[in-house]
Amino acid sequence: MNFYSYAYIVQQGQFNALMQYGVSFLLLIALLLVSIQFIRHRLNSRYRDLTILLSLIIVFVLGIRWSEYDSSLRNSEESSRMANFVVTVSQRLGVPKEDIRVSALHLNEDVIISVGNRFYRAHFTNNFEAYSLTQVHMIDSQIKVVDIAKE
């Protein structure tokens, strides 16, 4: 069973957005370079075709980005709620938030919390505004911790 650290939850949403912005930026730079070549060599249809092709690719990527924008906002909000939950649990149990691992990246009714060799299950209200913790015993206490790479 995978358990995620606080640092991984916080960092989770940031990497995907950074990668998508990088690809979009590279496409815009390529369009700019090809457009400059097209302006310099108006009689050469190759640059005109490349300009049209890159413009269509950018429109396609922008369409994908627009559809991913909403899901990105939702994922960011869910990661923020989970990070806030981990901070609250750390305060309640009196342990550092870095010692807490959770079994999901988003709040749901099946979240298991690992603190050292103790495991808890979180029971939430319908709107996830309140919770209670119940200690549970894992059949297989071997867990895989997913964390950010330490440099």
Side-chain angles (χ1 to χ4, degrees):
M1 178 178 249
N2 289 343
F3 280 77
Y4 304 96
S5 69
Y6 175 76
Y8 182 81
I9 292 169
V10 170
Q11 185 238 5
Q12 167 74 33
Q14 296 170 355
F15 177 73
N16 290 337
L18 194 61
M19 186 132 140
Q20 292 170 357
Y21 288 128
V23 169
S24 299
F25 180 72
L26 289 176
L27 282 172
L28 287 173
I29 293 295
L31 177 65
L32 178 67
L33 293 175
V34 170
S35 296
I36 289 171
Q37 289 290 53
F38 171 64
I39 290 170
R40 289 180 64 205
H41 306 284
R42 285 200 184 268
L43 297 178
N44 192 343
S45 66
R46 174 178 37 165
Y47 294 115
R48 180 186 53 135
D49 294 343
L50 281 174
T51 302
I52 292 170
L53 181 65
L54 279 173
S55 298
L56 290 174
I57 289 172
I58 287 174
V59 168
F60 177 71
V61 168
L62 287 176
I64 290 172
R65 289 282 302 135
W66 182 260
S67 67
E68 290 176 350
Y69 177 72
D70 186 45
S71 64
S72 167
L73 282 179
R74 262 187 274 115
N75 284 339
S76 175
E77 181 181 324
E78 288 291 326
S79 293
S80 174
R81 288 175 64 189
M82 179 56 90
N84 187 35
F85 171 68
V86 169
V87 169
T88 305
V89 169
S90 75
Q91 291 170 348
R92 179 176 177 191
L93 296 177
V95 296
K97 62 186 173 214
E98 291 78 16
D99 294 344
I100 295 178
R101 310 286 186 252
V102 291
S103 64
L105 293 172
H106 307 297
L107 290 180
N108 62 45
E109 193 59 40
D110 297 326
V111 173
I112 307 251
I113 299 118
S114 168
V115 181
N117 58 1
R118 294 174 294 158
F119 296 93
Y120 298 93
R121 181 168 186 256
H123 301 279
F124 293 97
T125 58
N126 289 339
N127 55 5
F128 292 97
E129 301 245 343
Y131 68 93
S132 65
L133 294 178
T134 305
Q135 188 169 3
V136 295
H137 302 282
M138 301 288 284
I139 293 173
D140 183 15
S141 62
Q142 296 295 330
I143 63 171
K144 178 183 174 194
V145 176
V146 180
D147 201 353
I148 60 172
K150 305 283 184 195
E151 295 181 25

